[in-house]
């Protein structure tokens, strides 16, 4: 039955697209109508805040946030060519976010979602990949994306690579005017183990330093995806699928049911933090 | 004439509804969308003229100058193909010049009817920004019959700014629209 509704929606989209053709018709545009063309459209479809023609619906419009439409839309927002997300999990998620008494909507301004950008940089004469995490931040009456975290493998490989070490500055060093510091700073490969237990390398600062000194130079963007933590007890990821299918554009590529108190762990994993 | 009329209507609407409010009403948004779409259509027309082999060199250069007036300073095109997702960057003028210099005997640029207009989001500097998505089909044919076809998705940045002007001693508020960076993605044609 659910399959039937989904098929029906796809058909409606196809007819809607053909109905709009006026001039210079270049073929079947229904793919482009069905495609989730922007992240903005992902939000609107998830919330049922636009009609099948992609026109914005506002509070007070008849179908604004219509629960039944939402169910159909959200089904279309999954990458249906992947078997990574089980149908049971998908249906549980859809039922929960479209619950008539307690629906969940995505909020562009609501935080708890961020971008992961994979980019190429020139570093030490070689092209290396960096992962840049960006989040939205309020400023004045507006919004802006800011770089929140950076993961760069050549930097992370410099720190805490050994699981077991026996490195410390012995507790009577003060009596010798810390003359043994010479050994600490000669031990370049493991010098970080002599730092306090709360020390974590700040890759953002090293990254900025290298950019400013000319050691790192931006080349190009390779990939972009988004992580959503806005829905209570759920996490999902969206990626762009560029393919000849009505199920294309920005779609849910990963979905996990996760208690709120474990989200911090997942975040650390996404951020490459140990 | 049509353009003049739409600008006049827009100015009147803007004057009537003038208020210092951060949010844009649905009616205002629709009016701004129409204005932004006009700019995108102008751009589409210019691109077709620049790319056409029938356009004389001097005329194409004149059209490039006109097209540049649609853009904010420093706007770039970020282009990727089906083979690689990596983005190549071109200044907008450079992109137009490359289009003009393409080595085909016949070039056709057609536009799909579909377009998608995002919401407008306010930036820290008070301007609003949105994105309009359109699709374009490019066909290049050589005399020997060799044909190159691609379909691209173009995500066009639109900057919207509230401005004021004085007409006959009266201060009139209006919305100015400029185009910004354009992301060009080669997309797979429908089967």
């Amino acid at each position: 039955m659910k399959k039937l509704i989904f098929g029906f929606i796809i058909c409606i989209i196809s007819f809607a697209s053909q109905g709009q053709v006026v001039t210079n018709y270049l073929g079947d545009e229904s793919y482009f109508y069905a495609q989730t063309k922007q992240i903005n459209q992902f939000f609107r479809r998830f919330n049922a805040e636009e009609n099948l023609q992609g026109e914005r619906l506002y509070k007070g419009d008849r179908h604004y946030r219509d629960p039944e439409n939402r169910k159909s839309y959200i089904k279309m927002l999954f990458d249906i060519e992947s078997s990574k997300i089980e149908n049971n999990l998908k249906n549980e998620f859809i039922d929960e976010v479209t619950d008539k008494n307690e629906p969940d909507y995505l909020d562009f301004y609501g935080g708890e979602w961020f971008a992961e950008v994979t980019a190429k940089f020139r570093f030490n004469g070689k092209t290396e990949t960096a992962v840049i995490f960006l989040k939205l931040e309020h400023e004045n009456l507006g919004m802006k994306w800011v770089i929140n975290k950076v993961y760069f493998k050549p930097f992370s490989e410099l720190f805490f690579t050994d699981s077991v070490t026996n490195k410390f500055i012995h507790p009577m060093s003060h009596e010798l005017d810390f003359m043994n510091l010479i050994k600490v700073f000669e031990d370049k490969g493991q010098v970080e183990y002599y730092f306090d237990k709360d020390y974590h390398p700040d890759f953002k600062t090293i990254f900025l330093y290298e950019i400013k000194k000319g050691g790192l130079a931006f080349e190009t963007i390779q990939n972009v995806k988004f992580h959503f933590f806005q829905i209570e007890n759920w996490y999902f990821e969206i990626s762009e699928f560029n393919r000849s299918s009505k199920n294309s554009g920005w779609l849910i590529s990963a979905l996990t049911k996760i208690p709120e108190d474990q989200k911090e762990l997942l975040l650390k994993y996404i951020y490459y933090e140990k | 004439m049509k353009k003049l009329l739409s600008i006049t209507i827009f100015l009147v609407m803007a004057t009537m509804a003038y208020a210092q409010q951060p949010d844009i009403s649905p009616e205002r948004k629709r009016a701004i969308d129409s204005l932004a779409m006009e700019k995108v259509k102008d751009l589409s027309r210019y691109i077709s003229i620049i790319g056409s082999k029938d356009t004389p060199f001097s005329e194409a250069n004149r059209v490039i100058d006109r097209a540049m007036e649609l853009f904010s300073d420093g706007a770039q095109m970020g282009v990727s193909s089906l083979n690689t997702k990596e983005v190549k960057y071109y200044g907008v003028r450079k992109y137009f010049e490359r289009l003009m210099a393409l080595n085909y005997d016949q070039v056709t640029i057609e536009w799909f009817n579909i377009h998608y207009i995002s919401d407008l989001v306010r930036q820290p500097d008070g301007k609003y920004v949105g994105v309009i998505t359109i699709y374009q089909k490019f066909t290049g044919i050589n005399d020997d019959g060799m044909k190159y076809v691609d379909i691209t998705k173009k995500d066009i940045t639109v900057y919207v700014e509230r401005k004021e002007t004085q007409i006959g001693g009266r201060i009139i508020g209006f919305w100015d629209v400029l185009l910004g960076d354009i992301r060009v993605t080669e997309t797979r044609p429908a089967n």
Side-chain angles (χ1 to χ4, degrees), chain A residues 78-93:
Chain A
F78 281 91
D79 167 24
I80 57 171
E81 290 185 21
S82 162
S83 53
K84 256 170 57 185
I85 307 170
E86 284 183 20
N87 276 338
N88 289 346
L89 191 73
K90 210 186 287 185
N91 292 336
E92 190 185 341
F93 174 75

Side-chain angles (χ1 to χ4, degrees), chain B residues 2-47:
Chain B
K2 205 173 149 191
K3 210 171 173 186
L4 190 70
L5 189 69
S6 75
I7 291 169
T8 313
I9 290 169
F10 194 77
L11 275 172
V12 171
M13 280 175 69
T15 316
M16 279 160 54
Y18 179 70
Q20 288 290 344
Q21 54 182 31
D23 290 327
I24 293 174
S25 68
E27 296 73 30
R28 180 70 55 79
K29 170 70 167 61
R30 277 190 275 272
I32 293 171
D33 286 351
S34 303
L35 193 65
M37 273 312 293
E38 280 300 317
K39 299 257 177 178
V40 170
K41 281 177 188 162
D42 286 346
L43 173 67
S44 308
R45 213 173 51 244
Y46 293 149
I47 285 180

Side-chain angles (χ1 to χ4, degrees), chain B residues 72-85:
Chain B
S72 59
D73 289 343
Q76 288 186 308
M77 311 285 272
V79 184
S80 65
S81 69
L82 281 175
N83 302 326
T84 169
K85 284 179 93 176

Side-chain angles (χ1 to χ4, degrees), chain B residues 70-122:
Chain B
L70 297 171
F71 287 89
S72 59
D73 289 343
Q76 288 186 308
M77 311 285 272
V79 184
S80 65
S81 69
L82 281 175
N83 302 326
T84 169
K85 284 179 93 176
E86 286 176 15
V87 181
K88 277 190 182 153
Y89 295 84
Y90 303 96
V92 173
R93 183 176 286 277
K94 186 88 197 157
Y95 180 85
F96 290 145
E97 284 167 356
R98 280 172 57 94
L99 182 65
M100 188 171 69
L102 279 177
N103 217 8
Y104 293 104
D105 296 301
Q106 195 189 323
V107 168
T108 320
I109 296 164
E110 296 160 285
W111 303 81
F112 288 85
N113 285 296
I114 172 139
H115 62 261
Y116 184 82
I117 306 176
S118 77
D119 295 331
L120 288 172
V121 178
R122 193 174 178 146

Side-chain angles (χ1 to χ4, degrees), chain A residues 65-82:
Chain A
R65 293 189 170 181
D66 180 275
E68 287 311 309
N69 286 352
R70 277 195 77 204
K71 275 189 191 229
S72 315
Y73 286 154
I74 297 173
K75 246 177 216 154
M76 285 166 26
L77 291 177
F78 281 91
D79 167 24
I80 57 171
E81 290 185 21
S82 162

Side-chain angles (χ1 to χ4, degrees), chain A residues 7-71:
Chain A
F8 179 65
I9 291 283
I10 290 289
C11 280
I12 289 176
I13 288 173
S14 308
F15 288 131
S17 69
Q18 284 167 17
Q20 286 205 0
V21 174
V22 184
T23 55
N24 63 320
Y25 179 64
L26 286 174
D28 184 3
E29 293 189 358
S30 61
Y31 286 88
F32 298 142
Y33 273 89
Q35 184 177 81
T36 308
K37 295 166 276 299
Q38 298 181 4
I39 305 299
N40 189 102
Q41 188 165 36
F42 183 91
F43 274 83
R44 286 193 198 168
R45 284 181 167 171
F46 190 95
N47 294 342
E49 290 171 355
E50 69 173 37
N51 64 19
L52 289 171
Q53 287 73 41
E55 288 156 359
R56 186 76 158 99
L57 297 175
Y58 293 95
K59 211 172 176 177
D61 288 335
R62 197 169 143 231
H63 293 295
Y64 178 77
R65 293 189 170 181
D66 180 275
E68 287 311 309
N69 286 352
R70 277 195 77 204
K71 275 189 191 229

